[in-house]
Structure formats: structure tokens, C-alpha cells
Amino acid sequence: MTTTTLPCLWFDTDGLEAAERYVSLVPDSQITEVVRNPDGSALTVSFTLAGREYLILNGGPAYALSPAFSIQLLCEDQAEVDRYWDALLEGGEESRCGWLQDRWGVSWQVVPRRLLELRADPDPARAERAVRAMLGMRKLVVAELEAAADAVPA
């Protein structure tokens, strides 16, 4: 038998609704199991996002989610960043540097792959300019990150 690990997110009561929303947004995602309480409400929800397994426990109000745990979505382009950002932000709250908290309190990092490329640029000054630009943003904007990286220092 192989040991498996997966993140478990503690929700109050609406974990199934959240999981349904998440799998509707991310390709290669699905709900794989719902374990129900005797009253029919969902106790746990097993699901995959982009093939990665997660578990939600509707454990009641004793604990709350925090930004200490986040899910990072690496996006191919600005259109994908915009789509995820807008969908996940609905009823939630923007943060900084590509982070947001959705309406259930789950923290997400919506990151264009281009940022990773810019951060790894062989020219450390170019990489630093891109990172500085990121630090001033809420939703990450690829064109602005590239413009900052390419800016000629004064």
C-alpha cells in the first residue's frame, strides 16, 4: 500500500458548494466522493483540482481558514489570470501580489507563468524590477510585469 497525502480544508458547513465551484473553474477537476452526515448534509468532500487531490471537512465554526494555506494557480497567459481572478474573487477579497481570498475564506495565488520566467531571468536587475512591480500589484498583469522588467534604469 502506498501512503498518500492531501490537503484538508476545514469549512463550517458549505464545503460542497465551494468544491462544486472550484471544479467548475479548473480543467481536469472533479468531485470524487461526498461522505454524508445522518441528516444528509455533506461531512467531507473529496475532489481533484487539475489532477491534485484535496479534501474538505465541514467541521463547524471551531476553526477558520487563513492565508497560511493557499492554492496557487499557475496561469498560461493574462486571459487565464483574468478568468480565474474574476471568478474566484466573486464575493471574496483582493489581497496583494496576485493573492485573493474567495467567499469561503480560501486563499488563492493567481500567478502567470511569465512571472516565474521573469523572476528567473539571468539578469538579476531585470528579475528584481519584475518582482518590485509584482509587489505593487493586486491582480498580476503580465504586460506591466514585462514593462517593469524591461524598463531602463534612470
Side-chain angles (χ1 to χ4, degrees), residues 3 11 17 22 68 83 85 95 116 120 126 130-131 150 152:
T3 301
F11 279 65
E17 179 186 356
Y22 302 155
R83 183 175 70 82
W85 186 267
S95 189
L116 304 183
R126 189 166 188 264
V131 170
D150 293 338
V152 179

Side-chain angles (χ1 to χ4, degrees), residues 5-9 22 30 32-33 45-56 69-73 108:
T5 64
L6 63 142
C8 178
L9 294 94
Y22 302 155
Q30 65 181 334
T32 54
E33 181 182 36
V45 183
S46 299
F47 64 105
T48 62
L49 288 179
R52 177 157 296 168
E53 295 179 48
Y54 293 86
L55 177 72
I56 287 177
F69 172 86
S70 64
I71 299 173
Q72 187 176 75
L73 289 169
W108 296 82

Side-chain angles (χ1 to χ4, degrees), residues 3-95:
T3 301
T4 302
T5 64
L6 63 142
C8 178
L9 294 94
W10 185 292
F11 279 65
D12 186 2
T13 60
D14 49 2
L16 179 57
E17 179 186 356
E20 289 171 341
R21 177 73 170 146
Y22 302 155
V23 302
S24 76
L25 296 173
V26 180
D28 189 26
S29 301
Q30 65 181 334
I31 293 177
T32 54
E33 181 182 36
V34 178
V35 174
R36 300 210 174 261
N37 288 308
D39 67 3
S41 64
L43 174 62
T44 62
V45 183
S46 299
F47 64 105
T48 62
L49 288 179
R52 177 157 296 168
E53 295 179 48
Y54 293 86
L55 177 72
I56 287 177
L57 169 66
N58 283 323
Y63 298 105
L65 295 162
S66 86
F69 172 86
S70 64
I71 299 173
Q72 187 176 75
L73 289 169
L74 290 176
C75 302
E76 294 304 318
D77 55 28
Q78 189 65 51
E80 198 170 66
V81 168
D82 294 344
R83 183 175 70 82
Y84 284 126
W85 186 267
D86 293 343
L88 291 166
L89 188 57
E90 188 178 294
E93 186 176 323
E94 288 184 334
S95 189

